[in-house]
Structures are given as structure tokens and as C-alpha cells.
Amino acid sequence: MNPGKKSRIVLFTSAIAALAGLLLGYDTGSISGALGFIADAFRLDTVGKGSVISIVLVGGILGALINGIVADRLGRKLMVQAAALIFIAGAAASALSPSAGALLASRFVLGLALGAVSASAPLYIAEISPAAGRGRFVTMFQLAITIGILLGYFVDRTLTGSGEWRLMLGSSAVPALILLFGMFVVPPSPRWLLKMGRDEEAKDTLLKISGGSVSHADAELNEIRKVISMESKGGLADMLRPPVSRAFVTGIGLFLLQQFVGINSVMYYAPSLFREAGMRSPDTAILATVSVGVVNVLATFIAVWLIDRAGRKPLLYAGLAGMLISLTAIGGVFALGDSDGGLGTGGATVIAVWFYIACFAFSLGPVPWIIMTEIFPLNVRGRAVSIATMSSWGSNLIVSFSFLPLFEAAGAAFTYWLYALVSLLGIAFVWRLVPETKGMSLEEIEERLLSEKR
Ligand code: BGC
């Protein structure tokens, strides 16, 4: 076997599929900057503005559901391509929208594509990756999300002078095009091929991604076959019973944690947060926001480096503990400072927010995406991953909707302390309910899961 060639192929394949994350992040990063111009163009009030942001999340829930219905039949690769195509249509339609209604409709379509691709792309990457590097390769999906967010901030900043919101929205079609065509040159998931009884093609793919080693490909083929033979039919009843039902608690629970520590209240509302903390100049607040994007990207590399060395659980513990501390501190700054606290308060908030973002970026950012692709048996994997992804979109929607009312009604300190409490509960959740999957093949994880049942 040629290990160098092997990891280059998987790296290239994962990088292409990870572009799906870029689409997701770009929308998160760019929409807040475009929103002001859109509101002016279509005379939107607060509810209208909120809808422009959150309609994508509603589409995301439905997109993940549709993915669940068709993914196991169509396969991971085709699903990613179909979603990329729908995304391109949605991006073009949003850029050309003649009215607020048309914009909402096209952003809903965009959400459908994002929901589908956020389930199928990480799953595809996990199924073509070798056990020892799977965490790292799936983390590339999260890395792409963070780069997308940053790119969105930059494009906004560049186009703010001219107010070209249509270009801000339409430009996301470019990475989607690369994703669509890039997926033509990568192999289909060998695990899915075997599940569909396409053994010869599965063997070809395994040969390709194992750098041409026949013995290695054969061993993996047999291992996957063995696990398939242990599986039940994978009907609805199987999904509602242990061990799959238990895996759902883990997968969905991790996504609820990911969203309920309040990450997107910072991603969407960072400028207002910094202004509230006393940074009066709009420029300073925007600069602070861009710095949040940079910290998010950089700290994700900690996960790339450590996820397969230290493992998933140590990263989760460290990240949750750090988030607990920083969220408590952010709440504290708001509780102590008066509203015109000036740069002193603002500076302390920025540092606490950087620390919070960094801790999220190496833990709750990537790990739920990784774990969801690992803990479900192959016979239900496509559907189960889609359901877990739906919970991510759904809880994102809840946090996005509740953040501002909560902030206004209960105050900033209470809001951040509530998120801190979630981090604390998260530590207990990880301890009790998250398995360590570092270095294990998907088949070894499945065998462990199935033996628990017995
Ligand atoms: C989450 C997004 C979040 C992003 C921040 C992702 O893992 O799913 O909701 O905006 O991380 O980097």
C-alpha cells in the first residue's frame, strides 16, 4: 500500500465534499450584513427581517427530512450533487428576487438544499475515510463552515459601500458549482455500494481509497459484509428500539447542546452584542465581529490536529469547560458593567467571546457532525443521520428566535448564564452518553453497538 497516495486521495475527496460546509457557513456569515440593504429595498420590519434569516432554517429542517427519505436509496454522492444543484437555483433566485415574497421562497429552497447536504456530506466523508483519520476528515466539513462564515463577513464588508446585497447572496452559487462538478470525479461511498449489493464497484472504490492495496481492500470489504450480515432489516421499529434509539439520544443530544450553548446568537448578532457591551463605534464592532470569524477558523485546526489523537470526548470536556467559564464571564461583564461601560467593558467582552468561540470551534463545532456519522448502524445510517441533522436545524431555529426576546426580557447576563448552565449539563451528558470512537472503524463501532443489544 502507498499510504501517502491513500491519504492524498481521501484528503482530496473530503475537501471536495467539505465544500458543502462552505455553503452553509457562507449563508450564516453573509446574511446579517446583507439584511439591512434587503430591509431597505423591500421595506421590511423586524418580523420581516427575522423571517429572511430563519426561513433558511425552516427549509433546513425539511431538507434534512427529505434527505432521510431518499438518501439510503440514492446514495450519499448523488444526494450531495442534487442538493448542490438545488442550492445553485436557490442562490440565483434569491439574488434576482423582485419582491420580499420571492426572496423568502428562494431562501426556503436554499434551506432545503442546505438541510440535505449537511446530512449527506459529512456522512459521505466518514464512509470513505480510514478509521485512523476519520475524525480529521469530517472536521474538514466544520472547517469549511467556519471559512464560509468568515468569507461571508469579508464579502459583506467589501460590498457594504456599494450596498450590492444581490451580489452578496448570489456569489454563494460559485462554491456550489465547484461542489456539483467536483463530486463527479470522486468515488461513491463503498459502504453504501455494498449495502446496495454492488459489491464489484464497492471493491473498486475500496481499492482506490486504500492506495491500491488489494489485501487491505479485501479485509475492509469482508469486515463491512460481516456487519451487514449481522444487521436487521432496518425498519422503523428497529429505529425506535435500542441500540438505535440510544444512539439517537446521543446524536440528537449533541446537536441540541451544539445549538443551546448559544453559538449562533454570537454568529448572527455579534455586532449588536459588542455594541451592547459598550463598543460604540460601528467600525470597532464590525472589526470585533471579523475577529470572531478568524478565531473560529483558527481554533478549528486544534480539532483537526487532536480529534484522532486525543479523541472526541477529551475535546468535548475541554471545550465545554471553557465555554462554561467564558459564558459565565460574559454574563458577569454584563451584570457588573453599566450600559455605557465604554471600551473597558467592551474589551473584556471581546476577549471572553474569543475564548468562547475557540472552545466551541474545537469541540461542539465538529464533534456532533463526526459522532452522528459514526454511531448508527449502516442499515439505518442515512435516515438516522438525517434525523439528527434535523434536530440541529430545529434547535438553531429555536435559539435564533428566542435570543433577542430573551435578551430583551431577561437581560444579557441571564441569557449568557443560561447558556453557561447548558454547558455544565453538557459535561454530564458527554460523560454518561457519548461513546469514544477514536481510531475505531465504522464496523467496529457498529459491532460494539449491536453487541450491547445482545
Ligand atoms: C453549527 C452552526 C454554527 C457553526 C459555527 C456549526 O457546527 O452547526 O450552527 O453556526 O458551527 O462555526
Side-chain angles (χ1 to χ4, degrees):
M1 170 180 19
N2 177 347
K5 186 174 168 207
K6 170 179 162 179
S7 61
R8 270 199 308 278
I9 293 173
V10 179
L11 186 67
F12 172 77
T13 307
S14 314
I16 295 280
L19 276 175
L22 200 80
L23 308 181
L24 217 156
Y26 184 82
D27 191 70
T28 309
S30 64
I31 192 61
S32 46
L35 198 59
F37 302 109
I38 295 173
D40 289 346
F42 296 135
R43 295 199 176 77
L44 297 180
D45 56 11
T46 319
V47 176
K49 284 199 273 189
S51 309
V52 168
I53 292 196
S54 49
I55 192 79
V56 168
L57 304 178
V58 179
I61 301 175
L62 206 70
L65 178 71
I66 296 172
N67 187 76
I69 297 169
V70 290
D72 281 331
R73 249 164 293 163
L74 287 187
R76 318 345 185 177
K77 189 177 146 172
L78 206 60
M79 258 332 280
V80 173
Q81 287 182 303
L85 200 63
I86 297 171
F87 185 93
I88 294 167
S94 356
L96 299 172
S97 298
S99 64
L103 179 67
L104 286 177
S106 25
R107 283 185 57 74
F108 177 73
V109 172
L110 213 63
L112 287 180
L114 287 177
V117 91
S118 58
S120 48
L123 178 55
Y124 170 75
I125 299 177
E127 288 192 342
I128 51 125
S129 299
R134 191 178 55 244
R136 201 162 11 110
F137 290 118
V138 180
T139 300
M140 284 172 61
F141 174 74
Q142 173 68 15
L143 185 64
I145 295 183
T146 62
I147 294 174
I149 294 176
L150 187 61
L151 215 64
Y153 288 163
F154 273 122
V155 171
D156 276 3
R157 252 183 94 71
T158 317
L159 296 178
T160 292
S162 57
E164 289 178 74
W165 63 269
R166 291 181 189 276
L167 201 56
M168 291 179 191
L169 301 190
S171 47
S172 58
V174 178
L177 267 169
I178 305 177
L179 175 64
L180 174 65
F181 288 105
M183 289 303 286
F184 278 112
V185 299
V186 300
S189 155
R191 289 170 169 88
W192 177 77
L193 286 171
L194 266 178
K195 178 176 168 282
M196 302 306 281
R198 292 158 63 174
D199 292 31
E200 279 309 307
E201 289 167 80
K203 189 168 177 186
D204 279 354
T205 304
L206 281 171
L207 257 178
K208 216 176 279 172
I209 57 182
S210 62
S213 156
V214 179
S215 60
H216 196 266
D218 275 341
E220 220 167 325
L221 200 71
N222 289 335
E223 184 65 23
I224 304 172
R225 276 204 192 110
K226 184 176 137 205
V227 168
I228 291 180
S229 71
M230 288 163 67
E231 286 177 340
S232 53
K233 276 184 68 189
L236 190 65
D238 289 320
M239 298 197 16
L240 297 174
R241 269 200 304 261
V244 182
S245 57
R246 257 205 310 274
F248 269 122
V249 174
T250 305
I252 294 178
L254 277 174
F255 274 119
L256 296 188
L257 266 181
Q258 183 191 66
Q259 296 299 326
F260 286 123
V261 291
I263 183 66
N264 288 313
S265 66
V266 176
M267 288 298 154
Y268 290 127
Y269 300 106
S272 345
L273 171 67
F274 290 135
R275 262 195 299 279
E276 191 80 13
M279 294 194 134
R280 290 285 177 256
S281 136
D283 260 3
T284 328
I286 297 220
L287 214 66
T289 309
V290 171
S291 70
V292 162
V294 174
V295 171
N296 195 18
V297 173
L298 293 181
T300 306
F301 281 100
I302 301 177
V304 173
W305 171 44
L306 285 178
I307 195 86
D308 293 315
R309 290 187 173 89
R312 287 63 166 148
K313 289 184 78 159
L315 284 185
L316 283 175
Y317 286 134
L320 282 162
M323 279 184 267
L324 173 61
I325 295 168
S326 44
L327 286 166
T328 310
I330 298 173
V333 171
F334 278 110
L336 294 175
D338 49 352
S339 51
D340 54 16
L343 245 184
T345 321
T349 310
V350 172
I351 291 171
V353 169
W354 278 345
F355 188 63
Y356 163 74
I357 294 289
C359 291
F360 175 89
F362 69 73
S363 62
L364 274 184
V367 176
W369 299 113
I370 299 169
I371 296 270
M372 77 160 183
T373 64
E374 299 181 322
I375 53 173
F376 295 106
L378 181 59
N379 58 349
V380 296
R381 199 177 285 151
R383 272 169 291 158
V385 160
S386 303
I387 294 171
T389 310
M390 277 173 75
S391 70
S392 162
W393 287 93
S395 42
N396 189 340
L397 185 67
I398 295 172
V399 175
S400 308
F401 255 115
S402 60
F403 174 68
L404 279 186
L406 193 67
F407 203 90
E408 271 155 27
F414 178 84
T415 307
Y416 288 102
W417 284 338
L418 198 63
Y419 296 151
L421 179 66
V422 175
S423 316
L424 185 64
L425 296 176
I427 295 176
F429 178 85
V430 173
W431 175 56
R432 295 289 300 169
L433 291 160
V434 178
E436 182 55 78
T437 48
K438 169 186 82 161
M440 297 171 76
S441 72
L442 291 176
E443 289 65 42
E444 282 165 345
I445 300 171
E446 184 167 345
E447 278 175 50
R448 185 172 72 180
L449 189 80
L450 295 176
S451 68
E452 267 171 35
K453 180 177 155 191
R454 279 195 290 276

